[in-house]
């Protein structure tokens, strides 16, 4: 897994968060973990094309509510469907911008629709690069498990076309 795969997601998340919350965003060090775990509201997008894998944004509930408050112009006291839809849309913006950056760098990347999960879950044996972005309302953790796709599969598919 190469660092250049996760850096567009970090840049994109910082830009989008800063646009909405207008707050200082502190970044942790990027660490390599042997598992992928979530504990808040997590949004997963699967990548395909020249690379394959997944990117997970795990957002603490307080930050999720704050973002939903700002975008919808109302106050959310709990996580409901509108809050989740709003977080999925913010994630689409972050991921979409990052995919554009990757494609501009010559990678051919396609994206799945987002899947959300609320709660704690661990995917063992799924090595991932991980970074926390901290705002005054909570953290968003970006975890990426992305590899270059085996070109022999792509070539074989092309020969059948």
């Amino acid at each position: 897994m190469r660092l250049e795969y996760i850096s567009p997601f970090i840049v994109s998340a910082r830009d989008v968060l800063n646009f909405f919350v207008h707050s200082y965003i502190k970044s942790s060090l990027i660490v390599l973990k042997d598992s992928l775990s979530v504990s808040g509201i997590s949004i997963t997008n699967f990548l395909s094309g020249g690379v394959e894998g997944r990117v997970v944004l795990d957002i603490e509930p307080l930050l999720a509510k704050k973002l939903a408050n700002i975008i919808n112009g109302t106050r959310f006291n709990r996580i409901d469907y509108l809050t989740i839809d709003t977080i999925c849309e913010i994630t689409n913006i972050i991921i979409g911008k990052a995919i554009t950056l990757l494609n501009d760098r010559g990678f051919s990347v396609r994206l799945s629709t987002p899947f959300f999960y609320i709660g704690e879950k661990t995917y063992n044996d799924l090595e991932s690069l991980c970074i926390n972005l901290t705002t005054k309302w909570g953290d968003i953790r970006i975890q990426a498990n992305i590899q270059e796709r085996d070109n022999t599969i792509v070539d074989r598919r092309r020969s059948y076309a």
Side-chain angles (χ1 to χ4, degrees), residues 50-81:
V51 298
E52 56 187 18
R54 71 180 79 190
V55 176
V56 179
L57 277 69
D58 190 24
I59 303 171
E60 291 182 347
L62 183 61
L63 178 58
K65 286 188 284 189
K66 178 65 176 176
L67 288 167
N69 291 344
I70 291 168
I71 291 173
N72 293 296
T74 188
R75 184 162 179 81
F76 291 92
N77 295 320
R78 62 185 181 85
I79 303 297
D80 62 10
Y81 289 108

Side-chain angles (χ1 to χ4, degrees), residues 42-141:
S42 63
I43 313 296
T44 301
N45 284 92
F46 293 93
L47 309 176
S48 62
V51 298
E52 56 187 18
R54 71 180 79 190
V55 176
V56 179
L57 277 69
D58 190 24
I59 303 171
E60 291 182 347
L62 183 61
L63 178 58
K65 286 188 284 189
K66 178 65 176 176
L67 288 167
N69 291 344
I70 291 168
I71 291 173
N72 293 296
T74 188
R75 184 162 179 81
F76 291 92
N77 295 320
R78 62 185 181 85
I79 303 297
D80 62 10
Y81 289 108
L82 184 55
T83 307
I84 293 168
D85 286 345
T86 302
I87 296 306
C88 284
E89 284 305 316
I90 291 171
T91 302
N92 281 338
I93 294 168
I94 292 169
I95 300 294
K97 183 176 178 176
I99 295 299
T100 300
L101 291 171
L102 282 169
N103 286 331
D104 287 348
R105 293 179 184 174
F107 298 101
S108 175
V109 182
R110 290 186 306 278
L111 183 61
S112 74
T113 55
F115 298 91
F116 75 90
Y117 182 81
I118 299 174
E120 294 184 18
K121 190 168 190 170
T122 299
Y123 301 92
N124 292 317
D125 299 325
L126 190 60
E127 188 177 76
S128 63
L129 289 173
C130 181
I131 184 169
N132 280 352
L133 301 178
T134 302
T135 73
K136 63 183 176 181
W137 295 284
D139 291 359
I140 181 169
R141 183 169 36 161

